[in-house]
Amino acid sequence: MRTGIATVCLSGTLEEKLRAAAKAGFGGVEIFEADLVTSPLSPEDVRRLADGLGLSLDLYQPFRDLDSVPDEVYRANLRRAEAKFKLMGRLGIDTILVCSNVATASIDDDALRAEQLRGLAELAADHGVKVAYEALAWGTYVNDFEHAWRLVADADHPNLGTCLDTFHILSRGWDTEPIERIPGEKIFFVQVADAPKLSMDVLSWSRHYRVFPGEGQFDLPKFLGHVARTGYNGPVSLEVFNDTFRQSDVERTAVDAMRSLIWLEERTAQHLATSGAEFPAAPPTPARLAAASRAYAMPLTTLPQVAPPSGLNFAEIKADDAAPSMRALERLLGQLGFEARGEHRTKPVSLWTLGDARIILNRQQARGVAPAISALGFDVENAVSAVARAVQLKAAAVPRTSQANEEVLQAVQAPDGTEVFLCQDAAWTREFGSDGGEAVGESGGPGRHVARIDHINLAQPWQHYDEAVLFYSSVLALTPQPSQDVSSPTGLVRSQVMQTELVRGERAVRLALNLAPWVQADEVRGTVRDTFQEHIAVAVPDLVETARACRARGLRFLPIPENYYEDLDARYGLEPEFLATLRELDLLYDRDAGGEFLHFYTETVGSVFFEVVQRIGGYDGFGAPNAPVRHAVQHAAQRAQ
């Protein structure tokens, strides 16, 4: 698949954008007019730079408000267009994007529109230029891709075709099946963008909230599958307007963008391999996937196929060994019931276990580091294939020094810097002292009869939040759930759950990504800063019993206000004795259609705290109604420090 990206997607100068696109592996670029106009580079300089970087210049855009206008305005538009055609000749670009008219002083006449588009195409042909006509979602009279195609067909000129843009089509909810009735040779360009589903005017939605494929909620594989069936084999190019991306590091954004197209290419092949007359519905085996990827003029490359992870192997916390917080963290683990299994034979790293829950304390290169989650281990079928897939998805491999007789662990880096280890077993625990090996398989595998890691909650920097969603869905095959906003004393916290599918009532992996607010008070009142907090949740078979044992070991739970229990009683009418137990132990409670949920929180050490949970029946949530209570209590504790 020929990949491209519009310069409007990236931050920086035009030269920086081109260099970042080439470094990320893109084949081509769309030149956004404003980027050229504001650049000190001449068109010839831009052309030479692109050639040297191995980039094709695929599209010049946008040309606005050409059609549906009075004759004198149209003649002025043609003069403007001819100047752009000459400029494109200097750039070496042969296709221009023409948008449907959005002006109010326009004429609603399809015959006039077709005539004016044909006249533009005649002029374009004189300069060796092709015109790709696009229906903007907010076009005054043309806002539907089928309408735009009818105009192109009526104009009937070889230099006039259409441009299909996923945002303009999917934001309006148009049916995408009619795409297949457009001849592939008359589709001159394809632009793709994803977006969260929002209730707002489509122009504002488009200008601020587009994201890269896989980071929103549009069904892009289905869209591109229709395009592939037309016989189209031109560029598939990203056009994303997003305030965050335009403020982020240009090279990092380009890598995220390229990952999104690799993801989309593979998902499109999977879609085609399980749908349509060519490939009747069936599981996408490697052979069927390969056949689907070769069946169309647009080749679709696939990656090594991996199953979703089957469990959370471990969580790692990094901290300065000399800091009091490390002692506090070790004390907290002991109070929770974790046992110290020993020191690594060659590294300043220790292992703590509680049933199948494994926590690593890493003191390497941690001078001045307060306790924070630094790595996660996921159980996978084939670690080598999983890492190969991750690297092809532009994830950076994590180098790890291993001594003789030590396990060679495969790892890549997540967008927030967390190291993601892909493990086939827990044989690595044998490297931790004389009894470390006892932690391997001691419970006979994951299950609700022993303690295990239930979920991890990671805080994400605002500029990399969407990137993280795509990373975990593409690299680990986790399924993103609709995001939720949770109230806290400093604002709304956006939360995105990534998880595996239910298998026999169990989810192997649950990962919550939180975008937390960052607030700093003025100096008069003193500085108050809400640092990002993350936590590790451990599931136990009997929470009340566990809570009493933890209390006996001196553990201080996060204190829950009395008002919470009065509200809980009003909502659920719990048995008085059970409600009294919840009050006594600072436990929280939730209920859904599947079952019940009990949990408690510890105090925070560094940026890490622990949650202990019990799922009863088929409860499948995270106790979301209780999250505002936690945020409020933690916020009060921070202010008191």
Side-chain angles (χ1 to χ4, degrees):
M1 186 176 83
R2 292 174 56 191
T3 58
I5 185 169
T7 55
V8 73
C9 301
L10 303 170
S11 64
T13 66
L14 180 56
E15 180 177 355
E16 289 169 339
K17 296 178 186 209
L18 293 177
R19 292 190 183 279
K23 187 174 181 180
F26 282 94
V29 168
E30 303 174 39
I31 298 294
F32 202 73
E33 186 170 69
D35 287 317
L36 180 66
V37 169
T38 58
S39 174
L41 299 176
S42 70
E44 290 79 12
D45 290 337
V46 173
R47 183 173 186 171
R48 282 191 292 269
L49 176 59
D51 286 343
L53 293 171
L55 289 171
S56 61
L57 298 181
D58 297 330
L59 187 76
Y60 189 81
Q61 67 126 327
F63 193 88
R64 302 184 187 279
D65 298 335
L66 168 97
D67 60 287
S68 313
V69 295
D71 185 61
E72 65 276 12
V73 177
Y74 179 65
R75 288 196 301 271
N77 285 343
L78 289 183
R79 287 193 298 273
R80 180 165 55 97
E82 185 165 29
K84 299 305 177 183
F85 296 158
K86 291 176 181 178
L87 173 65
M88 291 167 61
R90 297 168 64 192
L91 287 164
I93 300 177
D94 68 358
T95 306
I96 189 170
L97 178 70
V98 175
C99 305
S100 63
N101 200 321
V102 299
T104 54
S106 53
I107 303 167
D108 187 12
D109 185 337
D110 272 1
L112 176 64
R113 276 188 279 270
E115 178 186 343
Q116 291 181 340
L117 286 171
R118 180 175 178 82
L120 178 68
E122 287 280 4
L123 179 62
D126 293 339
H127 294 271
V129 170
K130 297 184 297 181
V131 175
Y133 183 61
E134 173 186 65
L136 295 181
W138 53 91
T140 304
Y141 297 116
V142 181
N143 53 36
D144 177 350
F145 77 95
E146 291 186 84
H147 189 179
W149 162 239
R150 288 196 301 272
L151 294 172
V152 169
D154 289 345
D156 191 22
H157 193 284
N159 284 63
L160 179 65
T162 192
C163 172
L164 299 176
D165 182 304
T166 60
F167 184 86
H168 295 305
I169 294 170
L170 299 177
S171 66
R172 295 295 299 266
W174 303 128
D175 180 15
T176 54
E177 191 277 333
I179 288 173
E180 297 190 27
R181 296 197 282 272
I182 304 174
E185 65 273 13
K186 296 300 287 183
I187 300 174
F188 282 4
F189 210 77
V190 171
Q191 295 174 319
V192 294
D194 209 337
K197 292 185 178 179
L198 302 173
S199 297
M200 64 189 311
D201 71 277
V202 71
L203 179 57
S204 297
W205 188 12
S206 171
R207 285 290 175 259
H208 302 285
Y209 296 102
R210 296 195 200 191
V211 289
F212 295 130
E215 298 176 356
Q217 294 172 275
F218 288 163
D219 191 348
L220 300 184
K222 180 182 176 183
F223 168 90
L224 199 56
H226 291 311
V227 172
R229 290 194 181 104
T230 69
Y232 176 78
N233 190 26
V236 176
S237 185
L238 296 165
E239 188 193 43
V240 172
F241 299 89
N242 185 290
D243 299 336
T244 298
F245 295 166
R246 295 296 298 271
Q247 299 175 62
S248 302
D249 177 77
V250 62
E251 290 190 0
R252 180 165 184 163
T253 303
V255 168
D256 183 32
M258 189 65 210
R259 178 185 296 129
S260 76
L261 283 187
I262 296 170
W263 172 89
L264 176 58
E265 188 173 2
E266 178 183 51
R267 288 296 180 94
T268 301
Q270 292 173 346
H271 169 78
L272 290 168
T274 56
S275 64
E278 310 97 316
F279 300 96
T285 63
R288 290 176 61 83
L289 216 58
S293 68
R294 297 190 301 265
Y296 307 96
M298 181 170 63
L300 297 167
T301 303
T302 58
L303 304 175
Q305 297 301 291
V306 296
S310 58
L312 280 159
N313 193 285
F314 68 86
E316 177 187 279
I317 300 172
K318 178 169 283 193
D320 187 343
D321 189 33
S325 56
M326 176 59 91
R327 304 285 81 77
L329 180 60
E330 291 175 332
R331 182 169 59 254
L332 175 60
L333 286 172
Q335 291 169 336
L336 282 168
F338 281 83
E339 296 181 21
R341 291 293 185 171
E343 290 288 311
H344 192 274
R345 60 176 71 138
T346 63
K347 303 179 181 72
V349 176
S350 59
L351 172 65
W352 294 67
T353 68
L354 174 62
D356 283 336
R358 306 180 189 94
I359 305 295
I360 294 174
L361 300 187
N362 186 352
R363 305 183 299 278
Q364 299 180 98
Q365 301 175 340
R367 183 184 296 273
V369 175
I373 296 174
S374 55
L376 301 177
F378 293 89
D379 292 313
V380 298
E381 291 180 356
N382 187 318
V384 173
S385 292
V387 167
R389 174 184 174 84
V391 170
Q392 290 183 56
L393 283 159
K394 303 295 181 178
V398 174
R400 182 176 183 273
T401 303
S402 299
Q403 304 291 333
N405 300 320
E406 290 182 1
E407 292 293 316
V408 178
L409 298 180
Q410 308 284 339
V412 294
Q413 192 172 70
D416 67 347
T418 302
E419 295 179 351
V420 173
F421 284 83
L422 303 164
C423 312
Q424 289 181 238
D425 53 39
W428 55 268
T429 60
R430 298 191 182 97
E431 299 167 15
F432 288 83
S434 59
D435 65 345
E438 295 176 13
V440 180
E442 64 181 9
S443 67
R448 296 191 176 188
H449 58 291
V450 293
R452 57 187 174 83
I453 295 179
D454 182 84
H455 64 273
I456 305 287
N457 185 309
L458 295 177
Q460 299 297 301
W462 64 270
Q463 66 270 43
H464 305 312
Y465 187 88
D466 294 315
E467 182 184 358
V469 172
L470 175 59
F471 173 87
Y472 285 107
S473 59
S474 62
V475 170
L476 286 176
L478 299 182
T479 303
Q481 306 303 302
S483 64
Q484 293 184 331
D485 290 333
V486 178
S487 64
S488 80
T490 54
L492 292 177
V493 177
R494 181 180 168 196
S495 182
Q496 177 83 62
V497 172
M498 314 288 296
Q499 60 191 21
T500 53
E501 299 298 325
L502 278 171
V503 177
R504 294 186 295 276
E506 298 270 357
R507 290 196 192 276
V509 171
R510 292 179 170 93
L511 182 66
L513 306 177
N514 280 2
L515 179 62
W518 184 278
V519 174
Q520 186 164 336
D522 58 60
E523 295 181 1
V524 176
R525 295 180 300 175
T527 298
V528 177
R529 188 169 61 189
D530 273 17
T531 56
F532 290 145
Q533 295 187 357
E534 340 186 86
H535 74 269
I536 299 166
V538 178
V540 296
D542 188 328
L543 189 82
V544 172
E545 178 184 335
T546 298
R548 293 194 187 283
C550 290
R551 279 280 179 91
R553 289 189 287 266
L555 181 64
R556 295 175 60 189
F557 297 2
L558 202 67
I560 306 302
E562 171 60 25
N563 291 336
Y564 167 79
Y565 295 105
E566 291 185 9
D567 178 70
L568 196 66
D569 189 32
R571 283 188 290 138
Y572 293 119
L574 300 175
E575 291 293 330
E577 184 177 348
F578 179 57
L579 185 62
T581 300
L582 298 180
R583 276 194 176 96
E584 173 199 353
L585 298 173
D586 285 310
L587 305 185
L588 297 103
Y589 175 88
D590 191 31
R591 179 191 299 170
D592 65 12
E596 298 172 291
F597 188 62
L598 293 172
H599 56 140
F600 69 79
Y601 299 103
T602 71
E603 295 182 333
T604 303
V605 179
S607 63
V608 181
F609 63 95
F610 287 82
E611 180 184 8
V612 183
V613 310
Q614 180 185 0
R615 297 180 182 275
I616 302 171
Y619 184 90
D620 195 35
F622 294 82
N626 300 328
V629 178
R630 169 175 67 82
H631 285 298
V633 176
Q634 288 176 328
H635 178 72
Q638 281 188 319
R639 292 182 68 92
Q641 291 177 356

